Amino acid sequence: MLIEPRPKGKHFTKDDRVRIEALYKAGHTQREIAQELGCTQPAICYELKKGIIDQLDGETWIMYKTYDAYAAQQYAEYQYTAHGNGLKIGSNHDYVKAIGECISMGYSPYAAIEKVGNAYGVKVSKQTMYRYIAEGLIPDTTYKNLPVGHRKKRKKKVESTMRSQCVTHRSIERRSKIIMMRDTFGHWEIDSIIGTSEGKNESCLVMTERYTREEIVIKVENKTADATTKAMQELKQKFGDDFNKIFFTITLDNGSEFANQNAFDALGVPAFYCHPGHPYERGSNENNNKLLRRHFPKGQSMKHKTQYHATQAQHFINGYPREMFNGRCSNDLFKEQLDQIDLYNKQNILDFFNIN
């Protein structure tokens, strides 16, 4: 009788072990048992070793070794408990696809996890997601596809002596120490970004609220003091009397586009200038610029970018799930602060920041 070969990798069942015990005690060789079960002889040899026990002969009262199906089954079940848990995502292809799509849109693995949430009945940790990416379980996604896929560079040691600063500018050293604690709302950092070094007329003015990391992105005509002043005046006009309830101070660098300190003071918002060559004194602004660069890549022209594109980038940043906020976004915290302020036209502010 021809025995159908046992599928490769298939484990012995409890019934298989009972058959092995019967054949073994009947005096069959390992080769004969293997032929009977449709497996290889080494597989039978290994199985017999797992189930060998010492047994007492009731007639001669001599101990001898034999195969016991129950002992072999117990051993197999114990070994199985040492196996790791299966993938948490299982065969949830929709969840995997949603995560991959978020990452392709510029979200980090953590932000993608928070953005997708529990919509597909599963949610993994950040560490697990990075492992899945490393193992190639997320389609079309590798470390190279991540927004920040490189190792962090060590910061160069900063010289203790400050470089000379324009005496007409109000130094950050005069800014209240309370602002440094990030415990209060309404203190902003400001910067500007360009696409290419030749495209000075292609610029965006970016502002970051220190407490909530809320962002404002304004496409300006060029990287000049006049264009910056015009953009800030239009922003104040848009917010009306609510402007000075949201903007208390502004911290900026010494770029030529921010040279007119009087223009900022005329808005009713004191301007404080960082030390030259110390961008980390606007740390929130610099970090948000990394998110903004996912929409305005460095080295790529902004010639065809409009305020619409700037607004879309602004909404992306403000709705971005942040690990520092336990998965909440800047809009969530910003709205909480607005709820504590008596605004004249709150809906206008909510619409500007796309807050529901």
Side-chain angles (χ1 to χ4, degrees):
M1 177 178 172
L2 182 63
I3 303 297
E4 183 178 349
R6 188 183 190 85
K8 186 177 180 180
K10 183 178 180 181
H11 297 287
F12 290 121
T13 65
K14 184 177 180 181
D15 292 338
D16 290 333
R17 292 187 170 95
V18 170
R19 290 178 62 193
I20 292 173
E21 179 180 351
L23 292 169
Y24 181 80
K25 290 183 176 180
H28 290 277
T29 64
Q30 293 181 10
R31 179 176 295 179
E32 293 171 343
I33 298 175
Q35 291 176 346
E36 183 68 24
L37 272 73
C39 62
T40 63
Q41 182 178 341
I44 294 298
C45 180
Y46 181 66
E47 177 62 29
L48 291 175
K49 289 180 180 179
K50 291 195 299 183
I52 288 294
I53 62 169
D54 292 323
Q55 196 165 26
L56 181 64
D57 189 325
E59 296 181 358
T60 63
W61 294 91
I62 297 176
M63 299 293 293
Y64 67 98
K65 294 186 180 296
T66 186
Y67 175 82
D68 183 74
Y70 177 78
Q73 183 68 24
Q74 290 291 103
Y75 179 82
E77 292 176 357
Y78 172 76
Q79 289 293 95
Y80 184 77
T81 62
H83 293 179
N85 294 329
L87 293 177
K88 188 173 181 180
I89 55 176
S91 58
N92 199 327
H93 301 294
D94 291 338
Y95 179 75
V96 172
K97 181 180 179 181
I99 290 291
E101 288 177 350
C102 280
I103 292 177
S104 68
M105 292 167 58
Y107 288 90
S108 68
Y110 176 83
I113 292 168
E114 295 299 325
K115 197 72 176 178
V116 175
N118 294 307
Y120 298 92
V122 63
K123 184 177 181 181
V124 302
S125 66
K126 180 181 74 172
Q127 291 77 9
T128 298
M129 185 55 65
Y130 272 103
R131 178 165 59 84
Y132 287 169
I133 293 172
E135 294 174 357
L137 298 177
I138 308 300
D140 302 322
T141 303
T142 66
Y143 280 161
K144 292 183 180 180
N145 302 123
L146 302 184
V148 184
H150 54 77
R151 297 178 64 181
K152 292 183 179 179
K153 297 180 180 179
R154 289 187 177 182
K155 291 184 179 179
K156 295 182 179 179
K157 186 176 181 180
V158 180
E159 297 180 3
S160 58
T161 56
M162 302 295 184
R163 285 186 279 175
S164 61
Q165 185 174 0
C166 180
V167 294
T168 61
H169 285 171
R170 188 181 297 109
S171 171
I172 192 174
E173 295 177 6
R174 296 174 59 185
R175 193 180 69 176
S176 172
K177 303 301 180 183
I178 297 177
I179 300 175
M180 182 65 69
M181 304 302 295
R182 298 182 186 274
D183 290 335
T184 54
F185 171 78
H187 304 286
W188 296 75
E189 298 172 358
I190 188 170
D191 191 19
S192 60
I193 66 167
I194 58 176
T196 62
S197 57
E198 294 80 14
K200 296 280 176 96
N201 292 336
E202 308 163 9
S203 179
C204 277
L205 191 66
V206 291
M207 306 179 68
T208 308
E209 201 282 313
R210 285 175 56 84
Y211 179 72
T212 63
R213 272 65 166 189
E214 190 79 357
E215 189 84 347
I216 295 175
V217 185
I218 302 174
K219 186 71 169 61
V220 292
E221 298 175 358
N222 50 56
K223 192 179 178 182
T224 63
D226 289 342
T228 300
T229 299
K230 179 181 177 181
M232 293 302 299
Q233 290 173 343
E234 290 177 350
L235 184 65
K236 180 170 183 176
Q237 184 177 5
K238 182 184 294 289
F239 284 10
D241 293 333
D242 292 328
F243 181 83
N244 292 105
K245 295 184 178 183
I246 297 174
F247 291 83
F248 298 148
T249 67
I250 295 179
T251 302
L252 31 72
D253 62 22
N254 292 271
S256 59
E257 69 273 32
F258 304 128
N260 192 348
Q261 177 183 303
N262 292 333
F264 286 98
D265 290 345
L267 299 172
V269 184
F272 297 92
Y273 288 79
C274 299
H275 298 101
H278 290 67
Y280 60 84
E281 292 179 338
R282 295 178 297 98
S284 299
N285 206 202
E286 290 292 320
N287 284 330
N288 268 10
N289 283 349
K290 295 177 183 178
L291 294 174
L292 185 59
R293 283 298 185 184
R294 300 178 193 179
H295 295 262
F296 298 92
K298 186 177 292 186
Q300 292 187 16
S301 174
M302 293 186 185
K303 185 176 181 179
H304 301 293
K305 299 291 185 179
T306 65
Q307 181 58 46
Y308 170 80
H309 300 102
T311 301
Q312 291 302 109
Q314 172 183 307
H315 294 341
F316 170 81
I317 295 172
N318 292 337
Y320 193 88
R322 306 256 186 171
E323 190 169 4
M324 71 177 75
F325 299 146
N326 295 320
R328 303 176 71 199
C329 63
S330 295
N331 269 351
D332 295 334
L333 278 72
F334 195 75
K335 184 176 185 302
E336 289 178 357
Q337 296 301 314
L338 295 182
D339 289 340
Q340 300 176 31
I341 304 173
D342 184 17
L343 299 172
Y344 294 106
N345 192 349
K346 183 176 180 179
Q347 191 58 49
N348 179 45
I349 305 298
L350 294 177
D351 292 341
F352 177 84
F353 290 102
N354 194 36
I355 300 176
N356 298 321

